[in-house]
Amino acid sequence: MIVYYPEKHYKHAGFELYNGEKTQSSENPIRVERIKSTLENHGGFTFKTPALCNKKLILQTHESSYIEYLVNGNWEETAFPSVWNYTDKRQVPIHAISQKGYFVFDTYTPLTKNLWEVVLESASCAVSAADSLAFEPTSYALCRPPGHHATKSMAGGYCYVNNAAVAANHLLNKGAKRIAILDIDFHHSNGTQDIFYNSRHVLTVSIHADPARKFPYYSGYEDEKGIGEGFGYNINYPLDKGVDDEKYLEVLSKALLQINQYKPEILIICAGFDTYKKDPICDFSLTIKGFERIGKLISKLHIPTLVVQEGGYNLEDLGNCALSFLKPFLR
Ligand code: SP5
Ligand code: ZN
């Protein structure tokens, strides 16, 4: 299996502010290094670094003012918002403080030095991996930073550019008419939902912790079904705390049935391994063996599949979670 890996991701590292306290960020550079070395030791994976994708592709996914903000950003020290936009005006503010609260929706997602080159490379991993589906049934984008919380115009949840959404738009440009994105990260994929909410060409399905209990709090409910011609093409499965392998596979089977009915030409899996029972910030109870069963069930659909890395914060076992999930896709 081909794996696209970002070379410069380590330049992005910071802390997060949680309830007014400064804490070490869960989303750190060690994460992808753990996954990479575990896959390398196992064998069967070919690592490549991506060619940087065209900025135009990213502008198709995100608002131009937001992307220009990231491109021109020159943050010497890690920066966070202090005041959020409390109006419904969409007019880019001038002051540095107001811009942060306009383009970043939480205090977990630091604006760091070199941010643009790092997020561009992460998105490029997803685009290059999407291209390799032309000659491989499955490919894996080992993206960092992750992407599924990034909306059209805001960063959040450790995400800046929505890597999976950029790849989906790239595949639509190349002629695909129906793409399904299944998000199995612990957290609701609010960004992906936002980007494709009015589209019937991209079916977005997310299985996640009930947002009444967990981040991103304000979206991920069952009654969010899409809008306009996209109505019916967004599906959310909010779940209670403590979900185990059996319960998860039951919900996954339902989701896969709906995906199959849609008859997608390509399936994108936003894979987060923060559903793992020993994840430090989450509360599901999946096992390493469970990830293999999840991978097997998805691989049995026999749809060309792009796996895009999202969350997962247990550094010790993260590599084995990813390997276990990917194993059923190895030829
Ligand atoms: C991609 C992804 O999984 N994003 C998840 C963002 C959720 N962040 C919530 C973090 C709040 C808890 N922080 C505790 C500090 C421990 N370092
Ligand atoms: Zn997550």
Side-chain angles (χ1 to χ4, degrees), residues 14 103 135 143 152 214 223 229 251-252 276 312 322:
F103 289 125
F135 46 89
C143 295
K152 283 193 203 93
K214 283 286 185 181
D223 62 356
E229 66 164 46
V251 176
L252 179 67
Y276 181 47

Side-chain angles (χ1 to χ4, degrees), residues 11 23 26 48 58 70 74 81 88 113 119 127 130 152 162 202 256 258 260 296 312 316 327:
K11 294 188 181 179
T23 60
S26 308
K48 295 186 177 189
I58 293 177
L70 296 182
N74 188 12
D88 52 14
K113 211 179 169 181
V119 298
V127 173
K152 283 193 203 93
N162 196 312
V202 181
L256 293 181
Q258 289 167 309
N260 229 359
K296 197 169 280 172
E316 201 181 325
K327 258 197 282 188

Side-chain angles (χ1 to χ4, degrees), residues 10-322:
Y10 65 89
K11 294 188 181 179
H12 171 66
F15 53 90
E16 56 190 64
L17 299 177
Y18 182 68
N19 202 21
E21 276 183 65
K22 183 173 166 175
T23 60
Q24 196 96 45
S25 181
S26 308
E27 203 294 287
N28 62 55
I30 303 165
R31 296 178 55 249
V32 299
E33 296 308 323
R34 287 290 155 88
I35 297 177
K36 183 167 186 265
S37 63
T38 310
L39 301 186
E40 275 171 344
N41 288 340
H42 180 271
F45 298 92
T46 308
F47 286 81
K48 295 186 177 189
T49 50
L52 293 185
C53 73
N54 198 320
K55 194 174 121 191
K56 275 193 192 146
L57 195 54
I58 293 177
L59 289 169
Q60 203 184 322
T61 307
H62 294 280
E63 250 176 47
S64 58
S65 59
Y66 170 59
I67 293 306
E68 289 317 313
Y69 181 64
L70 296 182
V71 170
N72 298 324
N74 188 12
W75 302 285
E76 273 310 312
E77 281 180 63
T78 305
F80 290 99
S82 313
V83 181
W84 282 268
N85 179 19
Y86 52 84
T87 73
D88 52 14
K89 267 188 218 141
R90 287 307 293 175
Q91 190 181 62
V92 182
I94 290 162
H95 195 283
I97 289 285
S98 46
Q99 287 183 342
K100 285 172 200 155
Y102 189 77
F103 289 125
V104 183
F105 70 73
D106 63 21
T107 60
Y108 307 147
T109 314
L111 298 164
T112 57
K113 211 179 169 181
N114 311 307
L115 186 59
W116 176 249
E117 68 169 320
V118 170
V119 298
L120 180 65
E121 197 189 21
S122 186
S124 300
C125 287
V127 173
S128 291
D131 279 335
S132 60
L133 291 179
F135 46 89
E136 301 271 338
T138 311
S139 60
Y140 177 41
L142 183 36
C143 295
R144 181 177 180 273
H148 73 153
H149 294 303
T151 69
K152 283 193 203 93
S153 55
M154 288 183 118
Y158 313 142
C159 304
Y160 305 86
V161 163
N162 196 312
N163 306 312
V166 171
N169 276 325
H170 177 59
L171 291 163
L172 291 175
N173 292 347
K174 294 210 306 182
K177 290 279 176 276
R178 287 183 317 283
I179 296 172
I181 304 182
L182 170 62
D183 193 298
I184 58 170
D185 185 279
F186 174 84
H187 302 95
H188 172 239
S189 50
N190 64 292
T192 320
Q193 169 172 309
D194 171 67
I195 291 163
F196 296 116
Y197 210 52
N198 59 7
S199 173
R200 62 185 163 85
H201 296 286
V202 181
L203 171 70
T204 45
V205 183
S206 182
I207 304 173
H208 49 259
D210 189 338
R213 184 178 88 250
K214 283 286 185 181
F215 185 89
Y217 303 111
Y218 299 101
S219 69
Y221 295 93
E222 233 173 84
D223 62 356
E224 297 158 17
K225 296 185 176 169
I227 201 162
E229 66 164 46
F231 186 80
Y233 296 93
N234 186 77
I235 302 173
N236 284 327
Y237 286 101
L239 303 178
D240 291 338
K241 142 178 203 179
V243 166
D244 62 6
D245 294 345
E246 297 307 323
K247 172 70 187 165
Y248 196 91
L249 284 157
E250 191 186 306
V251 176
L252 179 67
S253 307
K254 266 197 231 171
L256 293 181
L257 214 62
Q258 289 167 309
I259 287 170
N260 229 359
Q261 277 165 0
Y262 179 70
K263 297 198 193 312
E265 295 145 272
I266 292 156
L267 175 60
I268 300 178
I269 302 292
C270 285
F273 301 107
D274 38 10
T275 48
Y276 181 47
K277 63 177 182 180
K278 293 186 203 163
D279 192 276
I281 65 172
C282 300
D283 66 12
F284 282 0
S285 299
L286 302 199
T287 65
I288 291 175
K289 190 74 197 159
F291 289 118
E292 188 171 342
R293 294 171 68 192
I294 291 168
K296 197 169 280 172
L297 211 56
I298 296 170
S299 71
K300 279 205 289 201
L301 295 180
H302 295 293
I303 303 169
T305 301
L306 165 62
V307 179
V308 178
Q309 184 60 46
E310 299 289 352
Y313 308 101
N314 182 307
L315 294 177
E316 201 181 325
D317 295 340
L318 183 57
N320 282 321
C321 292

